[in-house]
Amino acid sequence: MSIQQYIEDVSNTVTSSLLNSVPGSWYVPENLRKSMEYSLMAGGKRLRPLLVVAAAESLGGSREAALPVACAVEMVHTYSLIHDDLPAMDNDDFRRGKPTNHKVFGEAMAILAGDGLLTHAFYNIIQASRQYDIPAESALAIVEELSLFAGPAGMVGGQVADMEGEQGLTDLEQLRYIHQHKTGDLIVFSLKAGARVASATEKQLAALEQFGRAIGLAFQIQDDILDLIGDESKLGKKTQSDVKQQKVTYPFFIGLEQSQAEMEALTRTAKEAITSGLIPHPERLLAIADYLMKRDH
């Protein structure tokens, strides 16, 4: 199976699981259910759930047992996108080529859909323990790390720094902080969570965290590059948005060529972290690192 086929296979499995993640026996207001599902099913790379599954499988773990956690991180990521697109934040009209959630369901429902997805993510993690016998201690560690990496010291903190940052005030070190937390933290979480499903050792967790830190920053630098020179039809959103909002980016500080070189160096660093013999089956993760570096959307 090629890496493209593997990514599509995991994505399809995750999408099916997401569709069934809210029990049909629950009463959920119809508009809320539709709003949550609209953004969950809007496409996207499913990168974070992919990393949960790939990390679990790299250590000989079960994909089935990793799926509730993979779905949970996609819920958290999706909630962050819904809120990020709101008029009070980035004020975006399109996401993945479709009208943003608040454009379809209104601002209030979009906010509540995000709230619902964030909260339901933690319920979903616990199902890995209840349904697939993941040790309670492992499930507890996953919940704790999601709270940390998605919260005020993680993704939310990065979003605040991004919102407050602007050209002329934010320096490169602050930009690195934004990228590491707004984007990188959930990537690191995904890898460590998948590893915990597979009963990883502390050394294996550390190696995967190092891998995640490097590919997370590389991924965001690539996003900065694509915002400048990407194809809008592939990206599903307007390019040059960072320029229009006067946001700082890697190309703003060090230019396109140097940004490309930095992304390639980070990808090499990431791959070195998991080829020391600690990770028994790193092949998929290595291929994902290369795939992300070459992506065009």
Side-chain angles (χ1 to χ4, degrees):
M1 190 185 292
S2 71
I3 189 58
Q4 186 65 51
Q5 289 170 323
Y6 178 76
I7 289 169
E8 288 176 10
D9 182 50
V10 173
S11 177
N12 290 338
T13 304
V14 168
T15 297
S16 296
S17 296
L18 284 167
L19 280 169
N20 298 310
S21 61
V22 177
S25 59
W26 290 8
Y27 172 73
V28 177
E30 188 64 19
N31 252 3
L32 176 59
R33 192 185 283 269
K34 284 181 178 176
S35 182
M36 290 165 62
E37 193 171 293
Y38 176 80
S39 291
L40 275 178
M41 296 297 130
K45 292 174 280 293
R46 304 282 194 224
L47 169 62
R48 291 148 194 85
L50 170 70
L51 292 173
V52 174
V53 170
E57 292 181 343
S58 77
L59 298 175
S62 154
R63 178 182 299 194
E64 194 177 32
L67 276 174
V69 180
C71 289
V73 74
E74 188 71 352
M75 290 173 196
V76 171
H77 176 56
T78 302
Y79 119 78
S80 76
L81 299 181
I82 294 172
H83 284 191
D84 219 26
D85 290 336
L86 289 166
M89 299 274 282
D90 285 351
N91 195 23
D92 281 322
D93 293 340
F94 290 93
R95 167 75 63 179
R96 297 165 177 163
K98 298 177 182 177
T100 45
N101 196 293
H102 67 273
K103 285 289 179 183
V104 178
F105 295 94
E107 286 182 48
M109 191 57 67
I111 291 167
L112 291 167
D115 294 344
L117 288 167
L118 172 61
T119 312
H120 191 56
F122 293 97
Y123 173 88
N124 229 61
I125 289 170
I126 300 307
Q127 304 319 301
S129 183
R130 296 205 186 280
Q131 296 177 24
Y132 301 106
D133 297 324
I134 299 302
E137 188 64 32
S138 296
L140 185 62
I142 293 169
V143 167
E144 182 178 38
E145 288 202 324
L146 184 55
S147 303
L148 170 64
F149 284 123
M155 181 186 71
V156 174
Q159 288 175 315
V160 169
D162 184 41
M163 190 173 64
E164 293 178 343
E166 59 181 279
Q167 293 174 9
L169 294 177
T170 305
D171 61 24
L172 184 57
E173 198 55 41
Q174 289 168 315
L175 175 62
R176 193 172 286 116
Y177 171 90
I178 292 168
H179 284 354
Q180 284 177 342
H181 292 290
K182 185 177 179 183
T183 302
D185 278 352
L186 273 195
I187 286 174
V188 170
F189 165 78
S190 300
L191 289 155
K192 293 183 76 175
R196 288 189 189 282
V197 168
S199 303
T201 66
E202 288 302 317
K203 286 185 177 179
Q204 288 171 331
L205 288 168
L208 287 166
E209 177 160 0
Q210 191 179 349
F211 174 80
R213 286 280 166 221
I215 65 161
L217 186 51
F219 178 84
Q220 190 56 54
I221 293 173
Q222 177 73 321
D223 260 10
D224 286 353
I225 292 169
L226 290 172
D227 186 72
L228 280 178
I229 62 171
D231 183 334
E232 287 185 3
S233 65
K234 291 180 179 177
L235 291 170
K237 60 182 179 180
K238 294 286 186 185
T239 56
Q240 306 283 326
S241 62
D242 291 332
V243 176
K244 289 168 189 168
Q245 294 182 47
Q246 293 196 306
K247 286 190 175 182
V248 288
T249 62
Y250 262 77
F252 172 79
F253 281 117
I254 63 175
L256 274 172
E257 271 189 39
Q258 192 57 40
S259 296
Q260 183 75 30
E262 180 75 5
M263 183 183 64
E264 291 171 2
L266 284 163
T267 302
R268 286 194 298 273
T269 298
K271 292 166 75 173
E272 287 165 7
I274 58 169
T275 50
S276 61
L278 278 171
I279 309 301
H281 310 288
E283 298 81 16
R284 294 295 189 201
L285 291 171
L286 295 171
I288 289 168
D290 285 333
Y291 171 83
L292 292 177
M293 186 175 64
K294 296 169 185 171
R295 69 193 172 95
D296 57 7
H297 65 284

